[in-house]
Amino acid sequence: MLTRFADEYLDALGGAGSAPAPVVSGRLSSFDGLLMEAVGLTVPVGTVCRVGGHGGHEIEAEAIGFRQGRTLLMNLGGPAPLLPQARVRPIGPPGEAEVGSALLGRVVDGAGKPIDGLGPIRGARKWPLAGRIQSPLDRGRVLEPLDVGVRAINGLLTLGQGQRVGIMAGSGVGKSVLLGMMVRAAKADVVVIGLIGERSREVADFLETKVAGEARARSVVVAVPANHSPVLRIRGALRATAIAEAFREEGKRVLLIMDSLTRVAHAGREIGLALGEPASARGYPPSAIAMLPNLIERAGTCARTGGSITAIYTVLADGDDGNDPVVDSARSILDGHIVLSRALAERGVYPAIDVGPSVSRVMTDVVGKPHQLAARTLRRHLATYEENRDLVLMGAYRAGADPAIDAAIAHHPAITEYIRQDADQVVTLDEAVTELTGVFGDG
């Protein structure tokens, strides 16, 4: 009887397919505070691993490359008392993000873990962190204007649904304030905000002042402050873009805010230099600059689903240098750029939009002829005034000597008032166009 029971039990175990799976693990061979090297571990790049430390403490790390038979990893968490030969074991496959309506109103970190104290996220779908390759012919044209509630942008730099635009400025000129104005007023089904590499204080401030009330319910925030690992900062940018892509696939109009693209490039620079890449363009290795088009090109309009991602990236011009490698690369890829001027900010003009070097490459496709002509007239008067500003201020210009300069001087107060706007004020697209054509519509 006992023998028959044992035989049946063993047969049942054999039929259940319970072959033992091998446990994959390696050992930590070196660690310099940023980069780890593990031996005896073969995993794909992007795999998340857990590294054991002294006293049972563990940290998570991501595989970022290989060198001479060793797997290179970078810390995803905080400090831990790591010891030589610590165990390294994979815990997750590379590259998937939680997406879908379950994330609306939530705040997550670079690893996708909720940090808003509202409990776990349930019912989310999966989407590749690196996105899905989209054929260029699946991209729809940008033909509909987007109302962002900022007079100068609506009137002079009109944006379109599905456009990618950069806000370029040095530090402390008002990029985040301008972003907040646009988030509150933008007409979009979903707003995805990536706060990447910025100050931790700004995260709470952005949530309480810029994404409060009704806007919070249709927003998803991915927050990875500056003190987090460079791998997490890049993952945060990829995650925010993946969340936006999934909503676009549902046919929704998505506004993607990334603050800031430069911090993502800085994270790529840290990783590239740690891997031994040569620093070519002002300290940036080639991989850090090459990463930007891969990220930016994922936004846009989808002709198949009818959804769109209108992406707004802030780009920090280090030292107010407009030829910084990140600024120059972003400007060549984006569909427009808004330049903020420190000189205007110092004169108390906010938002400090420098209309001259700013451009929207889709404006002619989304606005009518009277609007275009009025915007060109304003730009002409402003350019004439700026060229002769020193002469006028010194009193060296005599009125009546040049009709173009006389017209520029007469219109300059109206131009300044048109650009200036309070942070809590919303000016609709129709209002901005009416004001513009009313003053400058006669050519």
Side-chain angles (χ1 to χ4, degrees), residues 290-324:
M291 175 177 57
L292 300 181
N294 293 334
L295 188 64
I296 294 171
E297 278 296 312
R298 292 168 63 180
T301 302
C302 181
R304 179 173 50 83
T305 65
S308 65
I309 300 176
T310 305
I312 301 174
Y313 304 93
T314 64
V315 185
L316 176 65
D318 288 332
D320 289 349
D321 184 4
N323 295 317
D324 179 83

Side-chain angles (χ1 to χ4, degrees), residues 31 45 130 136 156 160 190 232 244 247 249 266 273 292 299 323 362 377 411 414:
F31 176 47
V45 170
L156 306 174
V190 178
L232 271 183
F247 281 118
E249 189 70 13
H266 287 178
L273 294 177
L292 300 181
N323 295 317
V362 305
T377 300
H411 283 94

Side-chain angles (χ1 to χ4, degrees), residues 141-338:
R141 292 184 62 199
V142 179
L143 298 174
E144 296 184 31
L146 177 70
D147 187 352
V148 295
V150 181
R151 185 192 295 109
I153 297 176
N154 280 341
L156 306 174
L157 305 163
T158 312
L159 305 185
Q161 293 179 18
Q163 183 178 358
R164 294 85 50 87
V165 64
I167 299 177
M168 301 175 175
S171 57
V173 185
K175 298 186 298 297
S176 297
V177 175
L178 180 57
L179 274 184
M181 295 171 66
M182 300 169 77
V183 168
R184 282 194 299 268
K187 301 297 187 294
D189 299 324
V190 178
V191 180
V192 181
I193 303 167
L195 302 176
I196 312 299
E198 295 299 319
R199 296 178 289 273
S200 298
R201 176 192 62 79
E202 285 193 345
V203 175
D205 180 74
F206 203 96
L207 292 174
E208 292 180 10
T209 61
K210 279 84 172 179
V211 200
E214 183 271 335
R216 181 71 177 271
R218 58 187 174 97
S219 301
V220 183
V221 180
V222 181
V224 192
N227 60 336
H228 283 58
S229 160
V231 179
L232 271 183
R233 278 178 262 155
I234 292 178
R235 271 183 170 254
L238 297 175
R239 187 173 300 277
T241 308
I243 293 171
E245 283 179 319
F247 281 118
R248 179 181 63 188
E249 189 70 13
E250 297 176 6
K252 295 183 177 180
R253 298 176 302 166
V254 184
L255 177 63
L256 172 63
I257 302 290
M258 189 77 69
D259 186 15
S260 77
L261 193 66
T262 305
R263 305 300 186 191
V264 178
H266 287 178
R269 177 173 62 185
E270 291 182 46
I271 295 174
L273 294 177
L275 289 173
E277 282 190 66
S280 53
R282 300 195 188 178
Y284 288 96
S287 63
I289 302 299
M291 175 177 57
L292 300 181
N294 293 334
L295 188 64
I296 294 171
E297 278 296 312
R298 292 168 63 180
T301 302
C302 181
R304 179 173 50 83
T305 65
S308 65
I309 300 176
T310 305
I312 301 174
Y313 304 93
T314 64
V315 185
L316 176 65
D318 288 332
D320 289 349
D321 184 4
N323 295 317
D324 179 83
V326 177
V327 176
D328 194 50
S329 177
R331 188 166 45 218
S332 66
I333 304 163
L334 293 167
D335 302 322
H337 50 274
I338 300 168

Side-chain angles (χ1 to χ4, degrees), residues 321-396:
D321 184 4
N323 295 317
D324 179 83
V326 177
V327 176
D328 194 50
S329 177
R331 188 166 45 218
S332 66
I333 304 163
L334 293 167
D335 302 322
H337 50 274
I338 300 168
V339 179
L340 302 187
S341 165
R342 191 175 298 277
L344 284 175
E346 290 171 351
R347 294 203 292 266
V349 178
Y350 288 101
I353 298 174
D354 193 352
V355 176
S358 302
V359 65
S360 172
R361 297 179 182 176
V362 305
M363 181 174 174
T364 54
D365 296 327
V366 299
V367 303
K369 279 290 183 182
H371 184 176
Q372 294 180 40
L373 293 175
R376 289 173 187 168
T377 300
L378 185 149
R379 282 177 171 272
R380 185 174 67 248
H381 288 323
L382 182 60
T384 302
Y385 181 86
E386 291 298 332
E387 288 172 3
N388 298 276
R389 176 183 174 82
D390 291 341
L391 289 175
V392 174
L393 294 180
M394 288 188 301

